[in-house]
């Protein structure tokens, strides 16, 4: 098998797999899953046409790998935040900031999430698993805050979905928002707004802001 790759891959290095993932991430974001061709992906990666089959087995498996490469880091970071020190509201505040930081690193991720959902399909397995883990973890922090009285009463799952929707939506609409408002909102302003909005929505004692 090693000799096959050496003979048929135009970029026969240990980085070929990573190059395919990077190339596919860009092409899937630009053209969607259906519009992306294996030929375009391998061409951008500088790899042989058979490299996708060799390394992943299929275009769909490569797509799942691309999504996992973006989803698993945010899941791991949220789990780390949840286990950290600080009051529940402070950790939830950190969750919001973490999402914005992750979207800055992977600006195409929200589009990956929306594409399948908008077409009426279920997200790929790496997304579903990450959503499950994050929802369980963050709603657990909400429940913890409700137990100690720092977070108002309500459905922890709905509260978690509202919290996550802030960074997702504000990231998705940045470009059209500029066209509608004729203003450029800095990432810092968006992050500060979302954190204050979420804290006000969750806190059992809402403080007025100046």
């Amino acid at each position: 098998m090693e000799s096959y790759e050496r003979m048929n891959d135009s970029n026969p290095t240990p980085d070929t797999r990573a190059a395919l993932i990077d190339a596919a991430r860009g092409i899937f974001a630009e053209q969607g899953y259906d519009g992306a061709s294996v030929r375009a992906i391998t061409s951008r990666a500088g790899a042989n046409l058979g490299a996708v089959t060799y390394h992943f087995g299929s275009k769909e498996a490569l797509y799942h790998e691309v999504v996992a490469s973006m989803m698993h880091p945010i899941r791991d970071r949220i789990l780390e935040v949840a286990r950290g020190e600080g009051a529940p509201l402070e950790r939830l505040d950190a969750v919001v900031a973490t999402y914005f930081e992750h979207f800055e690193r992977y600006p195409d991720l929200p589009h990956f999430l929306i594409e399948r959902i908008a077409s009426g399909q279920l997200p790929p397995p790496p997304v579903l698993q990450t959503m499950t883990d994050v929802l369980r973890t963050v709603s657990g922090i909400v429940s913890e805050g409700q137990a100690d009285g720092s977070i108002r009463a309500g459905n922890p799952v709905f509260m978690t979905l509202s919290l996550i929707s802030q960074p997702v939506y504000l990231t998705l609409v940045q470009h059209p928002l500029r066209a509608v408002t004729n203003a450029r909102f800095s990432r810092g302003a968006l992050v500060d707004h979302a954190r204050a909005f979420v804290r006000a929505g969750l806190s059992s004692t809402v403080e007025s802001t100046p």
Side-chain angles (χ1 to χ4, degrees), residues 13-133:
T13 73
D15 294 330
T16 299
R17 193 174 190 278
L20 288 167
I21 291 174
D22 287 342
R25 182 184 299 143
I27 291 177
F28 283 135
E30 295 162 10
Q31 303 176 17
Y33 177 81
D34 292 332
S37 70
V38 170
R39 183 177 298 278
I41 292 169
T42 53
S43 176
R44 183 174 295 187
N48 182 271
L49 186 60
V52 168
T53 301
Y54 174 83
H55 286 281
F56 303 97
S58 67
K59 173 185 167 182
E60 183 180 34
L62 171 58
Y63 180 78
H64 290 174
E65 193 70 26
V66 168
V67 175
S69 73
M70 295 187 288
M71 294 299 296
H72 289 171
I74 185 66
R75 178 198 61 192
D76 296 343
R77 178 63 183 132
I78 295 301
L79 294 177
E80 181 182 344
V81 168
R83 292 191 296 264
E85 298 180 355
L89 276 174
E90 292 173 346
R91 280 178 281 150
L92 293 173
D93 188 85
V95 168
V96 175
T98 296
Y99 265 98
F100 276 106
E101 291 168 3
H102 192 70
F103 290 151
E104 184 174 37
R105 181 180 178 188
Y106 298 105
D108 295 325
L109 179 54
H111 299 280
F112 272 85
L113 302 179
I114 295 300
E115 182 205 359
R116 285 293 181 95
I117 296 172
S119 64
Q121 303 177 63
L122 281 175
V127 175
L128 290 175
Q129 186 58 58
T130 296
M131 289 175 64
T132 300
D133 294 343

